[in-house]
Amino acid sequence: MNVLIIGAAGKVGRLVVDKLSRTAYTPVAMVRSKKQKEMFEKQGVTAVMGDLEKDFESAYADVDAVIFAAGSGQDTGAEMTIIIDQEGAIKAVDRAVHFGVQRFVMLSSMAADRPEAGSREIKHYLFAKHRADEYLKKSGVPYTIVRPGPLTSEAGTGKVFLNEHVNGGNSISRDDVASVLVEALMQPKAENRSFDVVEGDTLVEDLFRH
């Protein structure tokens, strides 16, 4: 199965590519620059050009599944958040529908399912994520939506707490988030479900076994 990772050059995206490379799945890294493309190809990873602000339809050639890990970043304003996190994600879903993609895993954010409860500083971000998530749910593409708590750069523990809703703002490492995204892709029991995830005591490989 060929898996297109949108946002492959980002912090979580790179971890997803690395973890997928160790499975039976084949990662296809979508990147915006030739330098990024060369970086992945030197690692033996297939890379394709695509830009969420422009056209990226060609990136979907021979793709069976998508992991959307792109984000505008904390240093950009509300306008870029709408362009990337909302409209970029919606376009990615549209192309998944058009090309008959079998699975779509969305990296969202905790509280995106209740954006009105967010603080003023991040409310626009949560609403953008919310709109993209809801669009995916209604698309007909089999999906999983993963909503992590605040992200850290610490080494992953391989253990998390995952539930439909998690009360509290516990953090989680990007490494563990990437592991959850990959595991969600591989497990049928994660299909058409949405989850919050933070650090915890459950092994990632056991999350969807019961």
Side-chain angles (χ1 to χ4, degrees):
M1 180 178 278
N2 294 327
V3 184
L4 181 67
I5 298 96
I6 298 177
K11 292 178 181 178
V12 175
R14 291 188 191 196
L15 292 164
V16 169
V17 171
D18 181 58
K19 293 175 188 295
L20 266 179
S21 297
R22 301 180 220 161
T23 71
Y25 293 72
T26 302
V28 179
M30 190 178 104
V31 296
R32 290 187 297 172
S33 73
K34 290 183 179 179
K35 185 177 180 180
Q36 292 169 340
K37 188 172 187 288
E38 290 169 359
M39 177 193 73
F40 281 112
E41 289 174 344
K42 284 180 181 178
Q43 299 169 10
V45 175
T46 300
V48 294
M49 300 294 290
D51 190 335
L52 290 175
E53 295 184 64
K54 300 174 184 176
D55 179 60
F56 54 98
E57 187 167 303
S58 61
Y60 278 73
D62 300 319
V63 162
D64 304 295
V66 172
I67 295 179
F68 188 95
S72 57
Q74 296 178 337
D75 299 329
T76 60
E79 181 181 358
M80 191 57 69
T81 298
I82 298 300
I83 291 172
I84 301 299
D85 298 83
Q86 178 178 302
E87 297 306 310
I90 286 172
K91 286 194 292 184
V93 172
D94 282 341
R95 280 150 183 74
V97 172
H98 178 75
F99 286 94
V101 166
Q102 301 167 24
R103 203 77 174 352
F104 197 113
V105 178
M106 178 78 84
L107 174 58
S108 184
S109 173
M110 185 176 286
D113 57 332
R114 46 192 188 280
E116 66 284 343
S119 66
R120 187 174 182 179
E121 292 77 18
I122 65 168
K123 193 166 285 190
H124 68 282
Y125 170 76
L126 294 178
F127 269 103
K129 289 291 190 186
H130 175 77
R131 290 175 184 127
D133 293 351
E134 291 302 308
Y135 194 85
L136 174 58
K137 288 181 183 179
K138 296 172 183 175
S139 70
V141 178
Y143 69 87
T144 305
I145 296 169
V146 178
R147 301 184 299 253
L151 301 176
T152 74
S153 297
E154 296 175 9
T157 64
K159 296 181 179 181
V160 300
F161 177 67
L162 179 142
N163 208 339
E164 185 175 343
H165 296 290
V166 175
N167 293 320
N170 290 351
S171 62
I172 182 171
S173 72
R174 290 179 176 85
D175 191 27
D176 284 332
V177 169
S179 295
V180 172
L181 293 172
V182 171
E183 191 68 21
L185 173 70
M186 297 190 295
Q187 297 298 335
K189 288 187 177 179
E191 194 171 296
N192 295 330
R193 300 176 69 185
S194 305
F195 305 98
D196 289 350
V197 63
V198 294
E199 59 188 7
D201 300 316
T202 303
L203 288 169
V204 171
E205 54 263 36
D206 291 338
L207 287 175
F208 307 111
R209 299 284 166 87
H210 307 292

